[in-house]
Amino acid sequence: MSKKRVLSIQSHVVYGYVGNKVATYPLQLLGYDVDPLNSVQFSNHTGYKTFKGPISNEKELASITDGLDENELLSHYSHLLTGYIGNPLFLRQVAVIVKKLRQLNPHLIYVCDPVMGDNGQLYVPKELLPIYRDEIIPLADIITPNQYEVELLTGKEVRSETAVWEAMDWFHKELHIKTVVISSSDLGQPGVLRAFLSQQDGPRLAIDIPKQGGKNLVFTGTGDLFASLFLAHSHTEDVTTAFEKTIASLQAVIKRTVASLPEGGDGPVKAWERELKLVQSKAEIEKPQVLLKAQRLN
């Protein structure tokens, strides 16, 4: 049995880098076999003026995993990674899959990125929220929500560092999550994002991340990339090193993407120009140069 094999259930796009398209390559570079199972198949991500393609349903998901099960392949997974899912019944079926995988491999590590929205805007049906909170997240070992998703899940505003740690404690105590990572928040100084990590009975960490590019520049797929990198590094490193290496590679990819943007162009940056320069960042993914160190806060 392979020690490092990931079943990755999230979105697929034909053009660009989000979901499985942004998660698979880094995991492979870091030594993981990756089996992508697509929750949607879109032409491109939803930040473009239009997107088209089918959304998978729970019956299709069950059929695919039944095929894996009947060939005795489900026992091969060391990790499950889930990201963007737009269908409540599909998400509910994920809980069935987690339980089956755990039955076959009690040591399975489940990394859940509860993709629901960002910057105060929900971009999945609101019916997904209680399913994530009550059925999915309690099954996870590691979760990687952003600041807005933490607010949705806890039902409380997270506008201070005290509120961050209260939210982290809620995940640990109420949902029994071992490791919670807030991949980005606006709680840093002006022009600085702040990421947080809390491990049950372990360290509390924060990393200050200088924003890159203009203040209105938004990159899609960075959360998906963060979750895949953290999955890889946390399996082989202590949690502090994993956090630092994940941020290091993510920042290197963003830096390369910013450097590729056209200078002095007319109007706002186009969606295709903001696609992450993932393949071009191979070296920084394989051997991250840690420039931003984590602060231990407990």
Side-chain angles (χ1 to χ4, degrees), residues 7-283:
L7 179 61
S8 179
I9 304 176
Q10 49 186 318
S11 60
H12 172 76
V13 290
V14 173
Y15 187 97
Y17 291 100
V18 300
N20 272 328
K21 276 285 291 288
V22 83
T24 301
Y25 179 67
L27 282 165
Q28 289 172 329
L29 287 179
L30 293 168
Y32 291 76
D33 286 302
V34 185
D35 296 338
L37 204 170
N38 301 326
S39 58
V40 303
Q41 176 153 296
F42 287 162
S43 51
N44 43 265
H45 71 66
T46 57
Y48 285 77
K49 64 181 179 183
T50 185
F51 62 93
K52 297 196 173 179
I55 298 173
S56 291
N57 63 42
E58 68 283 359
K59 290 178 183 171
E60 291 162 341
L61 175 60
S63 173
I64 290 168
T65 51
D66 283 350
L68 293 168
D69 191 22
E70 286 166 23
N71 287 304
E72 299 180 3
L73 298 173
L74 288 180
S75 62
H76 292 213
Y77 293 108
S78 60
H79 292 76
L80 172 67
L81 173 63
T82 61
Y84 178 86
I85 291 165
N87 173 340
L89 293 176
F90 186 104
L91 182 60
R92 191 161 265 146
Q93 183 63 27
V94 168
V96 175
I97 293 166
V98 181
K99 290 169 187 171
K100 179 70 176 176
L101 290 169
R102 280 253 164 80
Q103 190 184 337
L104 294 165
N105 175 13
H107 302 295
L108 178 92
I109 296 169
Y110 174 26
V111 180
C112 175
D113 185 10
V115 179
M116 288 184 283
D118 204 358
N119 300 314
Q121 186 175 0
L122 198 68
Y123 43 63
V124 296
K126 64 182 186 300
E127 291 82 5
L128 269 75
L129 173 56
I131 300 172
Y132 266 121
R133 186 190 59 227
D134 303 335
E135 299 175 44
I136 299 295
I137 288 177
L139 299 171
D141 301 285
I142 298 168
I143 61 169
T144 61
N146 61 33
Q147 183 177 357
Y148 177 55
E149 289 157 351
V150 171
E151 292 183 334
L152 289 172
L153 290 162
T154 60
K156 294 179 180 174
E157 287 192 343
V158 179
R159 304 294 160 86
S160 69
E161 202 147 318
T162 301
V164 167
W165 301 119
E166 286 173 358
M168 297 288 210
D169 282 341
W170 184 83
F171 284 116
H172 293 320
K173 290 173 182 171
E174 298 297 321
L175 302 186
H176 309 292
I177 309 302
K178 185 182 178 189
T179 305
V180 183
V181 193
I182 299 178
S183 52
S184 68
S185 79
D186 58 14
L187 297 173
Q189 300 298 315
V192 177
L193 297 170
R194 195 157 162 84
F196 299 94
L197 182 150
S198 176
Q199 195 163 52
Q200 200 165 25
D201 305 319
R204 285 182 166 183
L205 306 169
I207 297 181
D208 286 325
I209 309 165
K211 281 187 182 175
Q212 301 190 63
K215 64 177 180 178
N216 297 322
L217 198 56
V218 177
F219 297 101
T220 307
T222 51
D224 306 333
L225 178 55
F226 183 100
S228 67
L229 290 166
F230 190 77
L231 181 158
H233 291 305
S234 63
H235 189 55
T236 54
E237 308 273 8
D238 68 84
V239 74
T240 304
T241 305
F243 193 31
E244 290 173 344
K245 285 188 171 183
T246 297
I247 296 285
S249 288
L250 184 59
Q251 286 299 97
V253 172
I254 294 172
K255 183 178 180 182
R256 193 173 290 269
T257 307
V258 169
S260 76
L261 294 173
E263 289 185 32
D266 295 330
V269 177
K270 297 178 179 65
W272 62 267
E273 293 170 333
R274 290 185 278 111
E275 291 285 3
L276 295 175
K277 291 286 180 253
L278 189 70
V279 174
Q280 296 83 349
S281 305
K282 176 177 181 285

